[in-house]
Amino acid sequence: NAGVMQNPRHLVRRRGQEARLRCSPMKGHSHVYWYRQLPEEGLKFMVYLQKENIIDESGMPKERFSAEFPKEGPSILRIQQVVRGDSAAYFCASSRPGQGMTEAFFGQGTRLTVV
Amino acid sequence: AQSVTQPDIHITVSEGASLELRCNYSYGATPYLFWYVQSPGQGLQLLLKYFSGDTLVQGIKGFEAEFKRSQSSFNLRKPSVHWSDAAEYFCAVAVPGSNDYKLSFGAGTTVTVRA
């Protein structure tokens, strides 16, 4: 859904660099969810955030990955010291409070390529 | 934990022919069920969803899906396919309740439409 804005759409990083992926939720949505789609696979849940709070990060890799959703501005998914295996499409979705994914909309994704 | 199987990796169908995509899930009770479509280079668009009630669900773009509890299935159908339906289709499930933001996706079915 065009209402959830992700940028950049495509990102190329060399191994060892940092990747910062941004997600601006739809107007009125204060909950953000990040999913990762590895090549030839379905999407996998990474993290669920509300404004200034991480609600569930059980799908996040233990190292190098972090996410935030500040009071002002977009949600950021940060990957430090990227490796080839981080190459994937990263999608965020947003919803109003209490709706979960039942009424969520996805952005168009950021396709990260690590070279 | 719930899981989703889409048995068909790739389906080719002629324009105007009918289409059925299979989805089986593993979960002890009735989950929330979703079908998404992903066009090349695009994000995910929700086609339809099932929570409860009538087991035949109508969605956008002429798609419908039928929930069959006895078979743990939620197959997607379209009576007459258009060339613009060429895309990848994902079935997803979520556990009703406080964790319904965690969708589990199948690996997807790629649909090719031939003239």
Side-chain angles (χ1 to χ4, degrees), chain A residues 23-81:
Chain A
C23 170
S24 297
M26 285 183 67
K27 187 176 181 180
H29 288 192
S30 58
H31 293 203
V32 165
Y33 317 85
W34 284 93
Y35 282 75
R36 176 167 67 171
Q37 183 181 27
L38 293 170
E40 310 298 325
E41 296 186 16
L43 281 72
K44 288 185 170 30
F45 169 79
M46 298 182 75
V47 62
Y48 164 31
L49 308 108
Q50 299 173 12
K51 288 278 187 181
E52 301 185 282
N53 280 308
I54 297 175
I55 306 303
D56 183 346
E57 56 182 348
S58 59
M60 291 276 272
K62 299 299 181 198
E63 298 177 346
R64 301 185 298 107
F65 284 71
S66 62
E68 63 176 6
F69 190 14
K71 186 176 181 180
E72 301 292 337
S75 175
I76 306 288
L77 180 66
R78 183 182 176 207
I79 311 172
Q80 296 178 289
Q81 300 174 329

Side-chain angles (χ1 to χ4, degrees), chain A residues 9 35 56 58 102-103 108, chain B residues 41-42 49 90 101-103:
Chain A
R9 292 288 307 278
Y35 282 75
D56 183 346
S58 59
T102 60
E103 299 292 340
Q108 292 190 300
Chain B
Q42 300 298 312
K49 58 190 176 186
F90 292 96
Y101 54 86
K102 273 186 182 179
L103 294 184

Side-chain angles (χ1 to χ4, degrees), chain A residues 10-21 36 38-39 64-65 79-90 110-115:
Chain A
H10 300 274
L11 181 62
V12 179
R13 285 287 178 265
R14 297 185 185 279
R15 281 178 293 172
Q17 291 184 320
E18 177 180 289
R20 292 171 69 88
L21 288 61
R36 176 167 67 171
L38 293 170
R64 301 185 298 107
F65 284 71
I79 311 172
Q80 296 178 289
Q81 300 174 329
V82 296
V83 301
R84 288 249 172 90
D86 297 333
S87 294
Y90 294 81
T110 294
R111 282 155 180 83
L112 172 65
T113 302
V114 179
V115 298

Side-chain angles (χ1 to χ4, degrees), chain B residues 76-99:
Chain B
L76 182 72
R77 298 192 292 253
K78 185 168 184 178
S80 177
V81 168
H82 187 261
W83 64 266
S84 60
D85 293 322
E88 190 160 21
Y89 292 79
F90 292 96
C91 180
V93 302
V95 174
S98 58
N99 282 350

Side-chain angles (χ1 to χ4, degrees), chain B residues 46-85:
Chain B
L46 180 66
L47 286 174
L48 46 77
K49 58 190 176 186
Y50 173 80
F51 299 156
S52 64
D54 191 344
T55 57
L56 186 61
V57 182
Q58 301 298 320
I60 62 171
K61 303 186 178 187
F63 285 92
E64 66 177 26
E66 186 172 13
F67 168 60
K68 292 186 177 180
R69 186 192 309 272
S70 61
Q71 298 177 18
S72 296
S73 69
F74 189 55
N75 294 349
L76 182 72
R77 298 192 292 253
K78 185 168 184 178
S80 177
V81 168
H82 187 261
W83 64 266
S84 60
D85 293 322

